[in-house]
Amino acid sequence: EQLSPLAPNLSEREPLTLTRRPSNAALLMFGAEPQRFVGSAVVVVSMYPGTDRSEPHMERHELVGTIFEQERRIRELFHAQSFAIIDKTRVEANVQKYSERAFREAVVNALVHRDYEDREPVRITFFDDRIEILSPGSLPRGVDSEQFIGGVADPRWRNRSLAFFCYRLDLAQAEGQGIRTIMRSMREGGYPEPSFRVGEVTVTCVLPAHARHGLARAVLEAERALLARDFGGAERRLQQILTGNPHDERALRLLCDAYLLSRRPERLWEVILQRGIQAESLSAANQVAFAEVLGAVTGDPEVEIYWQRLVDRAIRGHLQWADLRRLVTSILARGLPARALQLLDRMLAKGTVAQDPTGSPGDVALLRGQILVAVARRCEETAKTSAESEIGRRARDRGPGT
């Protein structure tokens, strides 16, 4: 009995014996070993850590079974690759690296509409910045390639039974909406536009990763450059990030680390002037980081004023113990030990400093002791200078020859 006028029968009678045999579509959907009868029904999933196939290491999976089993396994592999990035400095919701809705639609389209007479497998390739889904076979006859790429082609099924069942199981669109669904899902999720390549024997869908994951990758590359002491390379990558997002908290913090490690604190002041970074726009942690770097820049009144604003703004917030220690160190570097001691005692008394769970109460006493030593040295230097000045004054008062 035919399930629907739109779906061909899933079994056929042999002309000579009149024995009913399952159709290829039935085997692909419900067969115990579909590949025994349809050898091309294989999916190859490859995963490369970089942006092309030149990487020396990769991961490969050959998927067999029914198309429903293949689709389920593909989704499992997708979830292992499409992690969520969490950025607490942004008000936007966290996003997946790839659009799951667009990916699932593209995969089902490849499984349903591929040419099973072509011996090549469906190929799904994960790169660091995109996914490529390659479906064997050209477009069905009568489908215009430009209309297909634009998502306005009229619906036309190559494998009617597969399309019908996937529609009934809510795995895919049935009326030629697949490309439009992919494009809409990418757009609504804030992803870059997908692209489609139509060849003579293949159709490929390319789904780019979310732009925020590109930034995360650039930050990771900058961190690696810092670890390798490639300060110039780290700075170039961080400047590129800041060109796209001038307020990226992680990039700004790493930039401070780069200038500290390379002993070029004056470069931070140049960046501040070039990008118009206001002290008030920074987080408390980055106000401390900026103050630490600029604390080594002396002799410039404008830097002194900006540094003072950073310190004043930072102590209004809730600081981590590590940040308070860095701030105190910056104040000491500018030769202000009495102010450093006053700030430490005031912040601890206010209870607005979060202690480091890996530290100990002795850390506070140690830092306070360092400050007191600096205060004592300053007092000693002041007393010595005063004594020398007094001796000089008395010598001048006695006059020559006395």
Side-chain angles (χ1 to χ4, degrees):
E1 182 180 354
Q2 191 170 9
L3 295 174
S4 166
L6 296 176
N9 288 326
L10 295 180
S11 64
E12 302 168 347
R13 289 188 183 275
E14 291 186 350
L16 297 178
T17 64
L18 300 181
T19 303
R20 280 200 170 274
R21 301 290 185 187
S23 66
N24 284 344
L27 292 170
L28 288 170
M29 292 186 288
F30 310 114
E33 297 179 68
Q35 287 68 36
R36 286 180 56 193
F37 307 95
V38 186
S40 61
V42 178
V43 178
V44 175
V45 180
S46 304
M47 301 174 179
Y48 291 87
T51 58
D52 57 43
R53 291 180 172 82
S54 65
E55 295 289 335
H57 306 289
M58 56 88 72
E59 185 177 337
R60 176 186 168 98
H61 302 266
E62 295 182 4
L63 309 183
V64 295
T66 68
I67 63 170
F68 304 131
E69 292 169 340
Q70 291 174 336
E71 192 271 341
R72 177 184 56 79
R73 181 66 179 130
I74 291 168
R75 277 190 286 118
E76 292 174 354
L77 294 171
F78 169 83
H79 289 145
Q81 293 290 314
S82 186
F83 52 86
I85 186 168
I86 300 173
D87 188 346
K88 295 182 179 180
T89 66
R90 293 175 177 264
V91 297
E92 303 97 325
N94 301 321
V95 296
Q96 294 292 118
K97 183 175 183 179
Y98 300 109
S99 168
E100 183 170 2
R101 183 71 184 91
F103 176 76
R104 191 176 184 186
E105 187 70 34
V107 166
V108 174
N109 277 355
L111 295 174
V112 169
H113 300 300
R114 63 153 295 171
D115 182 358
Y116 281 94
E117 293 184 359
D118 190 319
R119 300 294 296 177
E120 289 296 313
V122 169
R123 297 184 184 275
I124 300 173
T125 308
F126 290 85
F127 294 100
D128 191 47
D129 59 349
R130 69 191 186 282
I131 305 174
E132 296 185 358
I133 301 104
L134 182 148
S135 177
S138 60
L139 292 175
R141 187 172 56 187
V143 176
D144 181 76
S145 61
E146 292 186 4
Q147 291 182 339
F148 172 83
I149 293 173
V152 295
D154 294 329
R156 194 174 185 87
W157 295 341
R158 173 180 277 125
N159 304 304
R160 185 176 294 274
S161 294
L162 299 183
F164 173 80
F165 273 91
C166 285
Y167 167 68
R168 295 299 295 268
L169 293 173
D170 199 28
L171 293 179
Q173 302 294 325
E175 295 298 330
Q177 300 295 317
I179 301 302
R180 272 173 274 191
T181 298
I182 293 171
M183 298 172 72
R184 184 178 66 253
S185 299
M186 296 288 283
R187 183 172 59 252
E188 292 176 352
Y191 295 86
E193 286 291 319
S195 61
F196 303 91
R197 299 195 298 266
V198 179
E200 293 183 2
V201 294
T202 60
V203 176
T204 303
C205 172
V206 181
L207 303 177
H210 196 282
R212 200 183 298 180
H213 287 265
L215 289 175
R217 184 176 66 255
V219 168
L220 180 60
E221 291 174 352
E223 290 177 334
R224 290 172 176 167
L226 280 179
L227 289 173
R229 303 191 69 81
D230 178 11
F231 303 123
E235 181 181 6
R236 284 193 299 274
R237 290 177 174 85
L238 294 169
Q239 290 280 23
Q240 291 172 356
I241 295 171
L242 293 174
T243 298
N245 180 12
H247 304 290
D248 190 285
E249 291 287 331
R250 184 62 181 151
L252 289 171
R253 185 67 171 262
L254 288 174
L255 200 63
C256 290
D257 292 342
Y259 294 145
L260 271 179
L261 293 172
S262 62
R263 298 180 180 179
R264 296 183 300 155
E266 67 284 350
R267 280 289 296 133
L268 180 62
W269 181 241
E270 295 174 10
V271 171
I272 291 170
L273 295 178
Q274 291 169 359
R275 299 190 177 277
I277 301 174
Q278 298 297 316
E280 295 75 14
S281 68
L282 299 170
S283 66
N286 273 348
Q287 286 167 348
V288 172
F290 272 51
E292 183 180 27
V293 178
L294 294 179
V297 180
T298 58
D300 189 328
E302 291 187 4
V303 174
E304 177 69 29
I305 294 172
Y306 192 91
W307 177 86
Q308 183 65 58
R309 286 165 54 197
L310 289 168
V311 174
D312 291 343
R313 296 291 299 186
I315 62 179
R316 296 180 190 177
H318 189 90
L319 294 178
Q320 297 292 320
W321 166 246
D323 290 330
L324 177 59
R325 185 169 52 200
R326 294 177 73 176
L327 187 60
V328 168
T329 302
S330 173
I331 296 173
L332 287 175
R334 297 195 76 83
L336 302 171
R339 182 174 179 187
L341 181 61
Q342 181 185 32
L343 172 63
L344 177 64
D345 290 342
R346 186 172 69 178
M347 294 295 289
L348 293 176
K350 285 171 57 180
T352 57
V353 179
Q355 289 290 334
D356 183 354
T358 63
S360 66
D363 292 340
V364 176
L366 179 61
L367 180 60
R368 199 169 191 278
Q370 292 172 346
I371 298 174
L372 289 174
V373 169
V375 171
R377 287 176 178 170
R378 173 52 62 90
C379 292
E380 182 181 2
E381 292 172 357
T382 302
K384 183 178 180 180
T385 302
S386 298
E388 291 174 349
S389 298
E390 180 64 19
I391 293 173
R393 184 186 63 78
R394 291 177 180 179
R396 289 193 299 273
D397 290 343
R398 288 197 299 267
T402 61

